[in-house]
Every structure is written in structure tokens, then in C-alpha cells.
Amino acid sequence: MAENRPRTLFDKIWAHHVVETLPDGTALLYIDRHLVHEVTSPQAFEGLRVAGRPVRRPDATIAVVDHNIATDSSRRTGITDPESRLQVDTLEKNVVEFGVPYIPLLDARQGIVHVIGPEQGLSLPGMTIVCGDSHTSTHGAMGALAFGIGTSEVEHVLATQTLLQKPAKNMRVTVDGKLPVGCTAKDIVLAIIGKIGTAGGTGHVIEFAGEAIRALDMAGRMTVCNMSIEAGARAGMVAPDQTTFDYVKGRPYAPKGEAFDRAVAWWSTLPSDPDAVFDKEVFLDAAEIAPMVSWGTSPEDVAPITATVPDPAEAPNETRRAQLERMLQYMGLTPGQKLTELKVDVVFIGSCTNSRIEDIRVAAAIAKGRKVADGVRAMVVPGSGLIKQQAEAEGLDRILTEAGFEWREAGCSMCLGMNPDKLTPGQRCASTSNRNFEGRQGPGGRTHLVSPAMATAAALAGHLADVRDYQPQGSH
Amino acid sequence: MKPFTTLTGVAAPLPKANVDTDQIIPARFLKTIARTGLGKSLFANFRYDEQGQENPDFVLNQAPYRNAEVLIAFENFGCGSSREHAPWALLDFGIRCVIAPDFADIFHNNSFKNGILPVKLPREICAALMEDAKLGGNARITVDLERQVVVRPSGEEIPFEVDPFRKHCLLNGLDDIGQTMQHKPAIDDFEARQRAAQPWLYA
Ligand code: SF4
């Protein structure tokens, strides 16, 4: 019987959510949680209004503002950019009109949608979770099927709580072994993308497995799943385990008491069966991973920090050579140059990839007792208001500001050029975000993707630096 | 949604792989609350210089291609963010069909939902079509969805694959939500079952 076939984590969650299968194999998939933000929702609400349709399950929906907002004190006095203000105002009107729960800008729980979902217990194991944002893959770290959708689909979910979806293929990326000192979840995922490329996961849902993934805390797993989209995958996920359950327990929207025990019993049935077959398998040895940095304008163009800038003359073909030349020109790099020689103007620690309390603790541990290099603007932007409070309670903000970092309010900030935090043309930035496309952090800006530890090292050194030379002081 | 049946028009060659959505429509133009008006910002970083002047070298600024209805590119078209502004910008410019060796998943989905037909053809064929397209206004390409063929200016027909359900929706301009609403009883049943088994998912 087909039901007895060994199944993957993805297969199981998928099967639990199929409302109906259409004759051509498309599934009508039920969506348990819908996260809404100001950029990709206005036209969806516009569509509902025009068609006279209500939101089917406001209780399964939650809205927040994150992309457009300022991350300094000016956010309290209102948004100055008229277009940004219009998007935020529009969302605020829409949530009232359609009865959707909303976390307002000045609420302590406000933050980046992919940070607050897990933080509030809105994202739970076994769920189907969507948001009009590609980095929805982050929530897959909970052991959920979470993926980004377009605005038409946002409207579809608001109206029907379902989506029309074709099943994805199964891919497993196994990272065994122990991660060396100085390496983090970010280095794992950059190494994976470097290995499989930005189309390596196309059409697949990636399950991240193996000893090194199991050893990660939830923040690390979120970092890895966050960037599955940069590997081209539809979603990324990690099987729920005790680490997951401990994280979920007690969160505001998580089940409580007896319901929690029942939930854990069900969640425990979700991990892939031991003999489940994957359409594609990739293996990495964690011990061979080094602190990584991207040098090009695609997230697959990464190298260990000890490497040099590649030479287009050595490209395997003409297309690649032309692409490399264009990248090096845009990035202002010379072939053969050491990556550690690249001076940085800006350091950005934040984004839904790396703005959790664990990330900020790492940055503070390395920055403690040291100073940001002259001429470098270094900023730390917590992923949510609650993370900011937690960091302040631990005194991390003081360590960071004493070292010369800016300590800011929660939001997407310099991850993308949509709010006041932007690079100016030609500026070079060590960034803990997830995309290094041309102009992503502002027109002409040059992005190097790194871990929070590596970003901190770059801020202190004034150039891209090997974090292994900057171990925390005074720790024994 | 406007039905897509058959289209005959100028095709613009964009011989690039990995054309990402940040290139199609840079983030600074996403601050809209309506679906129209984005055509002027399509490929803005290529089309305009820092002073906002048109760059005459970029294909969409050249005479015949200002009216392009088809765009031909290389691998992994539409990678990057999930922004639906990318198909909106293409559509608002007048492009209703993109031909490439393959597409990023989300962009591929978003195209169909907005009445844009993404056509997958092998790289050699895309390269040949680009050569046709370089003839500008003298070389019209026909994309016939009903018959699933691209017709070169020479009259040669190149067949392509398309999902039957998506084809049906595109040919008839059918909106997905209206279709799904017909399954309401099944959705109601699903919710009743799930509520019993996992009550914590319901507030
Ligand atoms: S932090 Fe960056 S990647 Fe994450 S949701 Fe915001 S803009 Fe998108």
C-alpha cells in the first residue's frame, strides 16, 4: 500500500494538508499560518475588496510591518518617506477592515516577520506556513513546511486558506561531523550554496540533516533554512526534535498544558522515516567548513576567508568569464587579491538571517573590550523588539556601543534598500543578510555575506578578517 | 485576468542568465499599493543611468524593442525574491511572454497568475530565437498557446510544454480564487477534522 511507503518529513506534512487532489495532480493545500507584511499585501487586500471577499481565517493570520520602517528614533515620530508611509498606513487600514490581528510598529513584539513567527510561537512544527516573502523558508527550522508566495497567492490564502500547489521533490543535505572553531550556521549554509549553486535546489524542498545540523540551536537552524531560497529550493526544513520542543514550550501562541503534550506526540511522528528515499542527496563534512565570505554578486560566489579573489582568465567557459569580469568590476575587486585585504566601509549585523539574540551574543562576545576600526560604520539591528529588550537586559547593547557599534530598533534595515538604512554607491559592506545581488543594499553598494562573528571581526579590523584571529577576550 | 491565446509581436533579446527579480524591478520601486504603473521601472538599473537618463545601449531603449511583447533570456530567469512586482512590471511594460531555458519557481508561478506565459525552451533554441529577435521590427515571433508552438519569422514551428491546468486558466483568463471557491465544502470538512485533531491551531 502506498501509505506504507517510507516517507520524508516533507511528504508527511504535505499529506496532512491536502484538502483535495485535482485531476492533474495539483493539490489544494491547506495553510495553517499566514504571515502578512506591508510590501506584498496591499494589492491582495485590494483584490479581496474589489471581489467583495472576506478573510476566511483571521485567527490563522497575523500582520506586521518590517520592511519600510526606520530603525532609529525617528520611527516614533512617524515615517517621513511618503511611499513607505502609504504602505504602512494601507496595511493598518486593511487589518482593521478585514479583522486581521496586527502587531503595531511601536509594540515590543514588532520585528522582522520571520523572526517574530517562531519567537511568538506562531510558527509550529508540522504546520504549513506561508508569507508573501521568499525568506519564509526560515520557519522550516521549526519542522514546518514554510514557503514564500506572491501577492496573488497572498490573496488566494486570505480568501480560501488554501493554495494550489504541485508537490515538490525531496532533497536532503546532510552535514555530518563537528563544526570547527569560528564557524557557525551561516558558514554551513554559505558552504552548501557554494557547493550546490543557486539553482541546486530548484523544484525541491531541502531537508537539512546530519550531526552538525542536529547540534545547532533553533537560531542556527533558522539561519540555515532562511537561505534555502538562495539555493533555489522551494523550502528548507529541519526535523523537529527535543531542541525544537524546548524552544516552542511556553511561547505565547504555542499550545499549553495537555494540548502541548498532545502536540509533541504528534510532532514526534513527523521526522523522515529511516529508509525514506530522497530524489537528491548532498553530503558535507562540517569539519572541512571554514569561515566563509561571498565575494561576488550571487550567493553561490563564496570562498573561505583565507582565499583570494578568483581570476576570470581561469573561468571554465566564456559565459562564466564574462560574468566574473562583470562581478569583479561591480565589486571593485582585482583577481588574486586576498579577501582579508578588502577594506569595509559599513558592517551590518541584522536581517532575518542573523538578528536573533544568539547572533547578538556572538557579536558582543567578540566586540567586548575592543573598538570598531576608524572610518567604519558598524550597526547592529535586532530582529525584534523583544530581542532588543533581552539584549539590553544582558548588557549586550552597552558592550556593543562602547565598542563603537550603532544599536538600533528592530526591522529589515540594511538588508534591502527600501528604508533609510542604505549603502551609497561604491560602499563595501560586510553583512549578515542573505542576498548580495547588485544594488540590494542600495544602488552601487557592495555586499559581502558573512556570519555575525565574521561581521564583527570585519568591523574591528576595518577590512574583511578571519574571526579565528578575534576570539573573545577574557574567556577561558 | 486578461486571457492569453496567441500573440504575434517583437521579441527583445536579453542574453543573460540568472536575471533576478532585483534586476527586473529594483527594491526601491516596490513601494506601491496598486498593480499598475511599474512598467517605467522595469529593469531600471539597466535602462537608466544615475541621473535617470536612458541608457541607449540597453535593449528596451532601442526603437523596435520599446514595443516588445516577448522577452528572450537565458537560464534561471526570475530568481531571487518572490516579489510579484516582477511580472507586474513586465506586464505593465507590455511583455506577455518570456522565453528562457528555465525559470525560478516562484517567478514561474507568479507569471501564470498574472497572465504572462513563461515558455521553457532549450538554450540553443533560445539562442537561435535571440538571433531572430536581433532583426528587430522585421522579425515578429508568434506564440500560440492553444497549439503550444512558437513560430519563428521563417515560419518554423517550435513546440513547447505547458501544464494543462495552467494552460486552461490562461486561455480563459480564469482567476484561481473563483476556481478554489468551488471546493468550499471540502475545505469546510478539512477544517472540521483538523480542529478535532489539532485544536491548538484554532483560536
Ligand atoms: S530581513 Fe531582509 S530578507 Fe529578511 S524579510 Fe526583511 S528584507 Fe527580506
Side-chain angles (χ1 to χ4, degrees):
Chain A
M1 263 168 51
E3 288 74 43
N4 293 336
R5 174 179 62 87
R7 292 182 306 165
T8 65
L9 169 63
F10 165 71
D11 294 339
K12 294 182 194 184
I13 298 180
W14 177 271
H16 272 291
H17 290 87
V18 173
V19 174
E20 244 178 320
T21 307
L22 307 184
D24 70 335
T26 306
L28 189 61
L29 195 71
Y30 196 80
I31 302 303
D32 296 330
R33 180 70 67 206
H34 187 189
L35 306 158
V36 172
H37 67 77
E38 79 275 18
V39 181
T40 51
S41 67
Q43 292 90 346
F45 285 112
E46 177 196 8
L48 291 184
R49 190 176 300 116
V50 169
R53 290 170 174 147
V55 172
R56 183 177 171 97
R57 280 204 52 203
D59 68 309
T61 313
I62 192 151
V64 67
V65 285
D66 54 6
H67 282 64
N68 272 288
I69 54 174
T71 59
D72 59 15
S73 56
S74 74
R75 67 159 104 240
R76 295 177 198 288
T77 52
I79 300 167
T80 48
D81 179 78
E83 287 168 321
S84 292
R85 199 177 56 227
L86 181 61
Q87 284 197 340
V88 172
D89 288 350
T90 304
L91 182 64
E92 293 191 338
K93 281 200 201 90
N94 284 331
V95 294
V96 173
E97 180 180 343
F98 290 91
V100 169
Y102 174 60
I103 300 179
L105 178 54
L106 297 182
D107 190 306
R109 298 167 303 154
Q110 181 272 338
I112 306 172
V113 64
H114 307 310
V115 172
I116 66 174
E119 184 173 85
Q120 290 296 316
L122 290 160
S123 311
L124 297 172
M127 272 186 164
T128 46
I129 303 170
V130 297
C131 173
D133 192 286
S134 45
H135 291 99
T136 309
S137 58
T138 315
H139 309 259
M142 307 301 302
L145 174 60
F147 53 94
I149 56 178
T151 299
S152 302
E153 291 171 308
V154 170
E155 185 180 338
H156 196 279
V157 176
L158 288 171
T160 69
Q161 207 57 34
T162 63
L163 272 179
L164 289 164
Q165 288 280 303
K166 284 262 158 74
K169 292 198 197 119
N170 281 291
M171 175 168 176
R172 179 164 58 190
V173 176
T174 305
V175 191
D176 274 323
K178 272 215 167 52
L179 212 50
V181 175
C183 293
T184 63
K186 184 64 163 282
D187 303 294
I188 296 183
V189 72
L190 289 175
I192 292 170
I193 299 166
K195 178 167 171 140
I196 69 175
T198 52
T202 304
H204 292 75
V205 166
I206 301 179
E207 178 176 342
F208 297 97
E211 185 190 346
I213 301 290
R214 296 252 74 83
L216 293 175
D217 57 18
M218 292 308 291
R221 295 178 187 186
M222 288 181 219
T223 301
V224 172
C225 289
N226 175 273
M227 290 194 73
S228 347
I229 189 78
E230 272 62 52
R234 279 216 218 155
M237 54 208 312
V238 174
D241 59 9
Q242 197 57 45
T243 305
T244 323
F245 308 148
D246 292 345
Y247 175 91
V248 169
K249 192 164 190 173
R251 303 220 165 239
Y253 289 85
K256 307 256 165 4
E258 188 256 346
F260 182 77
D261 300 336
R262 262 176 82 187
V264 168
W266 182 61
W267 297 338
S268 303
T269 66
L270 295 174
S272 294
D273 297 328
D275 37 4
V277 179
F278 289 81
D279 301 289
K280 203 168 172 182
E281 293 243 37
V282 174
F283 298 88
L284 266 85
D285 180 357
E288 285 172 13
I289 295 173
M292 303 292 280
V293 50
S294 74
W295 48 264
T297 54
S298 165
E300 67 189 11
D301 298 315
V302 290
I305 181 66
T306 46
T308 55
V309 174
D311 187 350
E314 288 163 17
N317 56 52
E318 198 47 35
T319 316
R320 180 68 179 159
R321 190 178 65 81
Q323 195 189 20
L324 277 176
E325 278 174 354
R326 162 86 197 154
M327 277 194 218
L328 297 199
Q329 191 211 354
Y330 180 85
M331 293 296 292
L333 302 177
T334 326
Q337 202 172 9
K338 278 190 168 155
L339 293 174
T340 48
E341 280 171 9
L342 298 172
K343 292 224 172 331
V344 296
D345 305 294
V346 178
V347 169
F348 169 59
I349 299 177
S351 88
C352 57
T353 319
N354 283 122
S355 62
R356 298 179 185 82
I357 188 70
E358 293 81 353
D359 300 313
I360 296 170
R361 285 184 190 135
V362 167
I366 297 171
K368 188 170 186 176
R370 296 185 169 120
K371 287 276 180 244
V372 169
D374 281 349
V376 175
R377 176 185 183 199
M379 53 203 282
V380 181
V381 187
S384 74
L386 292 178
I387 293 172
K388 182 166 189 258
Q389 283 182 357
Q390 173 72 26
E392 288 171 355
E394 295 178 20
L396 305 179
D397 60 319
R398 262 178 295 116
I399 296 175
L400 288 163
T401 48
E402 273 163 24
F405 285 84
E406 294 173 28
W407 177 245
R408 302 180 71 94
E409 306 277 347
C412 293
S413 185
M414 204 182 266
C415 177
L416 92 174
M418 251 189 124
N419 57 65
D421 306 339
K422 281 192 208 42
L423 294 181
T424 57
Q427 274 191 328
R428 187 179 301 286
C429 177
S431 175
T432 66
S433 55
N434 44 47
R435 288 199 169 134
N436 53 348
F437 301 151
E438 288 186 19
R440 168 76 178 186
Q441 295 187 290
R446 295 163 172 169
T447 305
H448 294 277
L449 303 175
V450 288
S451 71
M454 287 282 286
T456 311
L460 302 173
H463 51 80
L464 293 182
D466 193 330
V467 66
R468 290 169 293 195
D469 301 333
Y470 288 84
Q471 284 312 299
Q473 292 176 338
S475 59
H476 303 283
Chain B
M1 186 170 99
K2 206 169 138 201
F4 186 112
T5 49
T6 178
L7 166 84
T8 298
V10 172
L14 189 66
K16 268 177 78 101
N18 300 313
V19 174
D20 62 59
T21 51
D22 274 294
Q23 294 173 24
I24 299 173
I25 178 98
R28 61 187 184 280
F29 300 110
L30 300 189
K31 297 178 177 179
T32 62
I33 56 158
R35 294 171 195 242
T36 50
L38 291 166
K40 58 181 186 304
S41 313
L42 178 70
F43 292 116
N45 290 348
F46 301 144
R47 251 163 96 199
Y48 310 107
D49 66 16
E50 274 153 34
Q51 282 72 48
Q53 299 298 313
E54 278 194 7
N55 163 17
D57 295 333
F58 187 65
V59 62
L60 296 183
N61 289 335
Q62 295 163 4
Y65 305 113
R66 288 177 184 274
N67 299 316
E69 290 178 80
V70 179
L71 187 70
I72 311 169
F74 286 136
E75 289 81 2
N76 203 20
F77 189 88
C79 57
S81 99
S82 61
R83 64 187 66 149
E84 202 154 346
H85 304 72
W88 292 339
L90 287 163
L91 202 60
D92 196 57
F93 181 88
I95 288 170
R96 298 218 54 207
C97 173
V98 182
I99 303 176
D102 54 43
F103 295 86
D105 287 337
I106 297 177
F107 177 84
H108 192 251
N109 264 330
N110 286 342
S111 299
F112 281 106
K113 290 174 194 300
N114 286 284
I116 295 181
L117 174 65
V119 174
K120 283 188 208 182
L121 290 172
R123 180 176 238 269
E124 315 82 72
I125 298 183
C126 291
L129 290 171
M130 281 188 203
E131 287 307 311
D132 291 346
K134 283 182 192 156
L135 303 172
N138 300 325
R140 290 177 172 260
I141 284 181
T142 297
V143 182
D144 185 336
L145 176 57
E146 182 68 62
R147 294 172 49 234
Q148 293 183 218
V149 289
V150 174
V151 188
R152 296 178 65 175
S154 64
E156 185 198 342
E157 298 200 339
I158 300 162
F160 63 86
E161 296 291 323
V162 60
D163 176 272
F165 177 70
R166 296 193 144 146
K167 175 178 174 179
H168 169 77
C169 294
L170 217 47
L171 284 173
N172 297 292
L174 278 186
D175 146 330
D176 282 354
I177 296 178
Q179 298 218 352
T180 299
M181 290 292 195
Q182 298 174 347
H183 299 274
K184 186 172 177 299
I187 302 173
D188 293 342
D189 284 355
F190 179 94
E191 283 179 350
R193 270 181 282 125
Q194 194 191 44
R195 189 191 279 267
Q198 294 166 57
W200 62 86
L201 295 176
Y202 291 77

